[in-house]
């Protein structure tokens, strides 16, 4: 049996069309345009592509973007000075610092400088804490995009066994919290997990965020499971996920492709957070 493909590109298109309508309505009612500041430090090729796609998404939904491309030699003080200026700027509703930052910059110290109300990545301690407590706030974009894709499968999360592979602050941990808040029974696997296949085979919902190409193989997947592939790896010049797509799609019930699955949804959720941040700031 071949799994149903959860098409993040198509779902993104639909959601962004709705957002464009909402943004236009907000502009009509308030006379204000929503703004997102995007900061890229250095010239990491993957980050440069992600930032370009984020700016494009802004154009698509009618959000004004402010782009800051800083040299890799930028100091912590210079970056923090820019963030403080953007915190104080009424035309900026969201601030995003593309990660990873070049060596020498302290990522967590930089992220804490962003006003949590403008933290559209959901990386600030305050937003991470709200997610932990189940108290709303701005939620990290990749995990919230994964939740939308799971919803698209029609499989209800409540009461199901969910396994997340990866425990990063930007994907694995917030993903586990979202699944838990949706009443799944959640297990988080990581590099030290023993007999990982035994654990993943229990999963009705399996989220792979390991950063290793083709890590999840068919023998690790429960027949019929919802498999969400967060990985974007370059292998022999091709983009591949953390899931071995050809074999796993024969076992899973639902699967996200790479590219065209989680990637576009991450950016769509960034737009959702930016609109939400603006509405909360203008309330
Ligand atoms: N680097 C990898 N994923 C992300 C993300 O979601 N946001 C930012 N700012 N940087 C990233």
């Amino acid at each position: 049996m071949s799994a149903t493909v959860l098409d993040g590109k198509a779902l993104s298109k639909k959601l962004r069309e709705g957002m464009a309508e909402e943004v236009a309505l907000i502009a009509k009612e308030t006379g204000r345009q929503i703004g997102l500041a995007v900061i890229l430090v250095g010239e990491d090729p993957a980050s440069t592509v992600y930032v370009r796609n984020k700016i494009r998404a802004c154009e698509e939904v009618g959000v004004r973007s402010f782009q800051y491309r800083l040299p890799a030699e930028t100091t912590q003080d210079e970056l923090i000075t820019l963030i403080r200026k953007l915190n104080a700027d009424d035309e900026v509703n969201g601030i995003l610092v593309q990660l990873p930052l070049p060596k020498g910059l302290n990522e967590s110290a930089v992220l804490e400088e962003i006003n949590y109300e403008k933290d559209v990545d959901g990386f600030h301690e305050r937003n991470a804490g709200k997610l932990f407590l189940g108290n709303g706030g701005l939620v990290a974009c990749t995990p919230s995009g994964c939740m939308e894709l799971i919803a698209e499968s029609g499989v209800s999360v409540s009461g199901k066994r969910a396994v997340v592979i990866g425990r990063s602050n930007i994907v694995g941990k917030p993903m586990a919290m979202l699944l838990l808040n949706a009443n799944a029974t959640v297990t988080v696997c990581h590099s030290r997990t023993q007999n990982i296949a035994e654990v993943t085979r229990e999963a009705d919902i399996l989220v792979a965020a390991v950063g290793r190409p083709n890590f999840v193989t068919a023998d690790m997947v429960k027949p019929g499971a919802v498999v969400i592939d967060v990985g974007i790896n370059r292998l022999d010049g091709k983009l591949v996920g953390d899931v071995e797509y050809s074999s796993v799609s024969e076992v899973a019930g639902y699967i996200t492709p790479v590219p065209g699955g989680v990637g576009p949804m991450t950016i769509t959720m960034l737009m959702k957070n930016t609109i939400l941040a603006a509405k909360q700031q203008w309330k």
Side-chain angles (χ1 to χ4, degrees):
M1 197 198 77
S2 209
T4 300
V5 177
L6 299 170
D7 184 342
K9 206 170 156 189
L11 180 57
S12 278
K13 183 168 183 286
K14 188 176 84 181
L15 292 172
R16 289 184 200 182
E17 282 166 4
M19 289 177 197
E21 282 173 22
E22 189 183 4
V23 168
L25 189 67
I26 291 170
K28 203 167 146 198
E29 283 174 357
T30 66
R32 302 176 77 168
Q33 196 179 8
I34 298 170
L36 173 66
V38 180
I39 303 172
L40 174 63
V41 188
E43 284 166 6
D44 178 75
S47 292
T48 305
V49 173
Y50 297 146
V51 163
R52 190 188 309 141
N53 290 339
K54 288 171 184 182
I55 302 292
R56 261 198 212 133
C58 287
E59 287 161 9
E60 224 177 300
V61 304
V63 165
R64 189 170 167 201
S65 62
F66 304 91
Q67 236 189 117
Y68 295 86
R69 287 168 172 264
L70 308 179
E73 303 73 35
T74 302
T75 66
Q76 183 93 359
D77 281 350
E78 285 166 339
L79 185 52
I80 287 175
T81 301
L82 172 60
I83 291 171
R84 288 184 180 161
K85 184 181 90 129
L86 296 170
N87 280 341
D89 187 339
D90 281 346
E91 296 199 324
V92 173
N93 302 104
I95 302 170
L96 176 151
V97 178
Q98 187 64 32
L99 303 180
L101 287 172
K103 278 200 190 73
L105 294 171
N106 180 337
E107 239 164 53
S108 58
V110 166
L111 296 176
E112 286 314 301
E113 283 294 331
I114 298 173
N115 177 342
Y116 74 92
E117 292 177 311
K118 296 189 178 186
D119 169 40
V120 286
D121 259 326
F123 294 163
H124 191 282
E125 283 173 5
R126 178 111 178 202
N127 285 313
K130 279 175 177 266
L131 177 62
F132 185 91
L133 298 173
N135 280 349
L138 293 163
V139 177
C141 302
T142 298
S144 81
C146 293
M147 291 303 283
E148 295 277 348
L149 286 162
I150 294 166
E152 193 66 7
S153 74
V155 171
S156 145
V157 174
S158 182
K160 297 286 164 49
R161 291 291 302 265
V163 174
V164 179
I165 317 177
R167 55 174 161 179
S168 70
N169 290 338
I170 69 178
V171 185
K173 284 186 210 167
M175 186 73 234
M177 294 316 304
L178 283 173
L179 288 162
L180 182 61
N181 292 348
N183 301 314
T185 300
V186 183
T187 304
V188 180
C189 297
H190 46 79
S191 53
R192 308 282 174 90
T193 301
Q194 296 181 356
N195 302 323
I196 195 164
E198 248 171 53
V199 182
T200 59
R201 270 198 298 270
E202 295 282 312
D204 302 301
I205 297 162
L206 180 60
V207 181
V210 218
R212 284 171 61 180
N214 300 324
F215 180 82
V216 175
T217 46
D219 59 301
M220 296 168 71
V221 176
K222 180 176 179 175
V226 179
V227 178
I228 307 291
D229 189 351
V230 179
I232 303 178
N233 312 288
R234 204 164 272 284
L235 187 68
D236 305 326
K238 252 185 74 181
L239 280 190
V240 299
D242 291 346
V243 175
E244 191 183 73
Y245 188 88
S246 57
S247 66
V248 172
S249 61
E250 291 300 313
V251 179
Y254 301 85
I255 191 167
T256 63
V258 177
V262 174
M265 287 303 293
T266 293
I267 299 181
T268 301
M269 294 301 102
L270 174 67
M271 296 299 108
K272 183 180 173 188
N273 278 350
T274 304
I275 297 166
L276 177 66
K279 288 201 290 196
Q280 284 175 346
Q281 289 157 29
W282 294 341
K283 208 162 50 192

